[in-house]
Amino acid sequence: MANQYLFTDEQKDLQLMVRDFVNKEIIPHAAEWDVKGEFPQDTFRKACDMGLHLMGIPEEFGGMGLDQTTSCILREELGRGDAGFAVSLGANMLGYTPLSIAGTKEQIKHFADIVVPGAVSAFCLTEAQGGSDAGNSKTTAVKVGDEYVINGVKTFITNGGIASVYTVFAMTDKEKGVKGMSAFLVERDRPGVSVGAEENKMGIRASNTTEVVFEDVHVPADHLIGKEGDGFKIAMKTLDRTRPSGSATAVGICQRAIDECVKYAKERVVFGKPIAKHQAVAFMLADMEIQTQAARQMVMHAARLMDNGIYDSVVAAAAKTFTGDTAMKVTTDAVQVLGGFGYSREYPVEKLMRDAKIYQIFEGTNQIQRVVISGNLLR
Ligand code: COS
């Protein structure tokens, strides 16, 4: 369990509040959400009542105004309950972060007025041919008078089908490559915005992932975030800032795997004693704990740096990579500890393993993180 040794009283209170919410409102339902592959709107409304969809939005705009460290503490708790649900809440902060980097006060207020009452946003960067090659965007935004007209299709968009507002990356000047990309705020109810196919995913199935289609969507020129051509850098800076808090959710998956394994290993008896008393299993539990502690510290280190105004791409990429790989290893071992029961859907650990896999893929694959890290080493 994430220790509280150095937490402030406020952080401890918030952590316990979210832990209680997770134990009562998320864990009992997570298996059902996983089977249905549906975003649980009722539980989302309860999370909204607690402000959990607004962690990083400043208080002056109606958000919780939490720093990165506190957000990571809470994101871990949510991840312990259900990573899909946690990802949906987190994606709202992903949608908001471009505004926190380059948005005007008016844009932030406009965004907050939409999401604060109980809605989510989505970050629309990825396209079918793009993905890791984030600058390879076919979506265009053409200036016509005092408006931009956006056309294109975004894929694998978390919250795509349930968001009320999107931050959209589109080319304002294709000739300039990544320097021709710009960022926009686009409300869901604008004519021409529609939701395409929903992904039927291996894990994080409570989260909603869809295509989002923009067909001659007119937005006022004041919906441009930052300046024309700033879009790629805004997207990269956003990912630097969101990779650690996203990874906190994966630490929560690891913690849940440990909790389930410890419980099971104390109860399951073979050769006359609980499997926890067999060193082969006890040492696996110890390794799961060591790796989880290391991942948590990398996430918290990245968060504390950001809370001190230091945004380091390598620290964020390293935390993201290590946490994703750790979550995969720890949950795979958890399935092993439970043996045949681990492989069965009667027990929660196979879901944890499926949920963990995405952390090696989204917010930049772990191969891309290694591109970022090695590129910085070799520069
Ligand atoms: N912060 C600020 N600026 C950055 C940056 C960062 N983290 N990373 C790159 N840039 C800038 C570079 O400095 C460069 O600008 P200058 O020419 O003015 O120096 C510009 O952006 C282009 O950088 P680069 O040439 O490195 O871009 P590439 O096209 O080679 O792509 C990677 C770089 C691979 C790192 C990028 O495409 C990436 O992160 N891809 C993964 C995308 C992703 O995470 N997708 C997940 C979906 S969103 S949930």
Side-chain angles (χ1 to χ4, degrees):
M1 199 57 74
N3 68 59
Q4 298 184 327
Y5 299 138
L6 299 176
F7 291 180
T8 63
D9 288 343
E10 191 201 0
Q11 286 170 336
K12 287 180 193 169
D13 288 348
L14 284 169
Q15 184 190 38
L16 291 179
M17 180 187 82
V18 174
R19 188 172 292 169
D20 188 53
F21 174 71
V22 165
N23 289 342
K24 289 188 181 136
E25 304 287 349
I26 296 185
I27 289 180
H29 307 289
E32 185 191 335
W33 300 341
D34 178 55
V35 171
K36 286 190 179 157
E38 275 173 18
F39 180 66
Q41 289 286 359
D42 289 352
T43 311
F44 173 65
R45 271 188 282 279
K46 290 178 189 168
C48 289
D49 290 343
M50 297 165 73
L52 294 179
H53 63 313
L54 308 166
M55 288 184 197
I57 296 181
E59 280 174 302
E60 64 175 300
F61 298 107
M64 284 181 95
L66 299 184
D67 60 14
Q68 293 277 355
T69 307
T70 311
S71 294
C72 285
I73 293 168
L74 305 191
R75 297 276 286 273
E76 177 180 334
E77 291 301 323
L78 291 167
R80 192 180 61 82
D82 182 75
F85 189 73
V87 162
S88 292
L89 297 184
N92 197 30
M93 287 303 97
L94 183 60
Y96 164 71
T97 302
L99 294 169
S100 75
I101 292 168
T104 61
K105 266 198 157 192
E106 291 70 30
Q107 287 172 334
I108 294 174
K109 183 176 180 328
H110 183 55
F111 177 96
D113 286 348
I114 296 172
V115 297
V116 167
V120 285
S121 68
F123 178 81
C124 297
L125 173 66
T126 300
E127 297 181 16
Q129 78 293 338
S132 291
D133 186 5
N136 183 9
S137 170
K138 286 187 180 158
T139 299
T140 55
V142 177
K143 187 117 191 250
V144 182
D146 55 3
E147 291 184 329
Y148 285 91
V149 182
I150 301 176
N151 277 287
V153 180
K154 298 290 179 177
T155 52
F156 295 125
I157 303 303
T158 304
N159 292 345
I162 57 171
S164 300
V165 60
Y166 304 98
T167 43
V168 182
F169 294 83
M171 304 306 289
T172 39
D173 188 346
K174 281 195 156 188
E175 303 299 310
K176 290 188 180 161
V178 295
K179 289 190 167 50
M181 183 182 271
S182 304
F184 297 90
L185 193 60
V186 182
E187 301 87 343
R188 168 71 179 90
D189 54 9
R190 285 201 177 267
V193 179
S194 63
V195 176
E198 181 172 353
E199 299 298 333
N200 184 7
K201 305 189 295 295
M202 170 199 263
I204 57 162
R205 288 174 54 77
S207 66
N208 170 273
T209 312
T210 68
E211 281 181 338
V212 183
V213 182
F214 301 92
E215 211 173 348
D216 287 331
V217 178
H218 290 242
V219 294
D222 67 6
H223 280 36
L224 172 71
I225 303 169
K227 295 198 296 292
E228 271 193 27
D230 282 354
F232 188 75
K233 287 191 183 179
I234 293 172
M236 293 300 108
K237 285 183 183 172
T238 296
L239 293 167
D240 283 348
R241 291 173 192 211
T242 55
R243 281 171 181 152
S245 53
S247 301
T249 305
V251 176
I253 298 176
C254 295
Q255 188 57 55
R256 179 71 184 285
I258 295 170
D259 295 347
E260 293 296 334
C261 284
V262 167
K263 191 167 87 186
Y264 181 85
K266 284 180 177 168
E267 287 166 2
R268 167 85 168 125
V269 174
V270 293
F271 304 115
K273 55 183 179 182
I275 60 170
K277 297 277 183 195
H278 293 279
Q279 200 179 67
V281 172
F283 278 19
M284 278 177 85
L285 299 180
D287 283 337
M288 291 162 78
E289 174 66 17
I290 293 165
Q291 290 155 14
T292 301
Q293 281 200 24
R296 180 179 293 125
Q297 294 317 317
M298 288 181 81
V299 167
M300 294 306 251
H301 174 61
R304 288 192 186 106
L305 285 183
M306 288 194 279
D307 288 335
N308 285 282
I310 299 164
Y311 301 95
D312 186 318
S313 305
V314 173
V315 170
K320 195 268 177 194
T321 310
F322 188 81
T323 306
D325 289 348
T326 297
M328 206 57 238
K329 170 87 174 82
V330 166
T331 55
T332 305
D333 286 350
V335 170
Q336 193 69 23
V337 168
L338 270 73
F341 294 115
Y343 201 67
S344 164
R345 295 207 166 169
E346 289 298 307
Y347 284 77
V349 293
E350 62 80 33
K351 171 182 177 293
L352 298 177
M353 186 175 160
R354 287 185 286 109
D355 288 347
K357 183 62 197 167
I358 193 64
Y359 287 88
Q360 294 180 309
I361 299 173
F362 71 0
E363 289 219 52
T365 63
N366 281 4
Q367 286 69 33
I368 284 294
Q369 308 307 319
R370 289 176 169 99
V371 168
V372 171
I373 295 164
S374 61
N376 272 272
L377 284 177
L378 301 170
R379 191 163 295 147

